[in-house]
Amino acid sequence: MISRCYLEITNICNLNCLFCPKTDREKRRLTFEEFDTLTDRLRGEVQFLYFHLMGEPLLHPLLPRFIETAREKGFVPVLTTNGTLLSQAEGVIEARPHKIQISLHSHEGNKKEDAAGYIHGVMQFATKAAANGTIVVLRFWNQGGYESTNEALTSLIASHIPTPWKERYDGWKLADNIYLEYDKMFEWPDAARPEYAEEESFCYALRNQIGILVDGTVVPCCLDHAGEINLGNLFHTPLQEILSSPRSQAIYEGFSRHTAVEPLCRRCGYAAVTKRFRK
């Protein structure tokens, strides 16, 4: 079983983050029928279902229903959001996703000014969601990049949940079900960028994660935002057939040998620069 599937329920976003590669694919949202079909074809093959690849999931009006349907089918539903639409997300709290990850670095990435209002909304939502059993992770994934407002935002968070907090390997536990997490900023894979000079390369793509774009295209990981490594379409082809295709197997076996066989993978800053993956 694959641990994570990043299912793009929409590729539409309400922000224009400086660090985001954007997408020029046709803007659309999954219908409920499409979501039902894709999750039926993923059932029993995937454990955690992340409602995100590109796009802002809270823009989808059917998100609470998607969460409930995913859970009914045996998935563990997880959201990643920029946190700007949480005031409209009462239905999401009631649907009880397993975890919600809020990308606080999107605030500076959009040169926003009302930091206090943003954090107030985030913390109101986080407190309610955590009390309802959802894990909430506040994320600063901007170390070495857009991080000049991190200290100010952290102080605002502390005004809602006072320190001391419990230190963890990747940040802090603020309260039951509420965490603050740090990670390095990375460069998205880009076919136009020169290859990274790496003696070895390893990634968990197709090993414990896959991505599904909003049109059903299966990609190896959550960073193939343009669908450049098109492995097949889940609307037309069963997942196991897609994963056993020559191209999929070449990717998998290449990483088993610590080799990136796809040109896009050799231009991935997430794996290369941060050296996250060392098997």
Side-chain angles (χ1 to χ4, degrees), residues 43 51 70 75 79 115 192 231 233:
R43 193 200 301 245
F51 294 162
F75 299 102
L79 306 181
L231 300 176
N233 193 294

Side-chain angles (χ1 to χ4, degrees), residues 119 140 149-161 165 180:
I119 293 299
F140 284 122
T149 63
N150 285 11
E151 185 175 349
L153 295 181
T154 302
S155 295
L156 289 168
I157 293 169
S159 71
H160 291 269
I161 302 179
W165 300 330
L180 181 62

Side-chain angles (χ1 to χ4, degrees), residues 14-32:
N14 63 318
L15 296 184
N16 186 30
C17 295
L18 296 172
F19 51 80
C20 178
K22 320 297 188 298
T23 178
D24 57 6
R25 290 181 282 119
E26 177 188 358
K27 303 299 184 186
R28 64 186 305 269
R29 298 181 177 95
L30 287 180
T31 65
F32 181 78

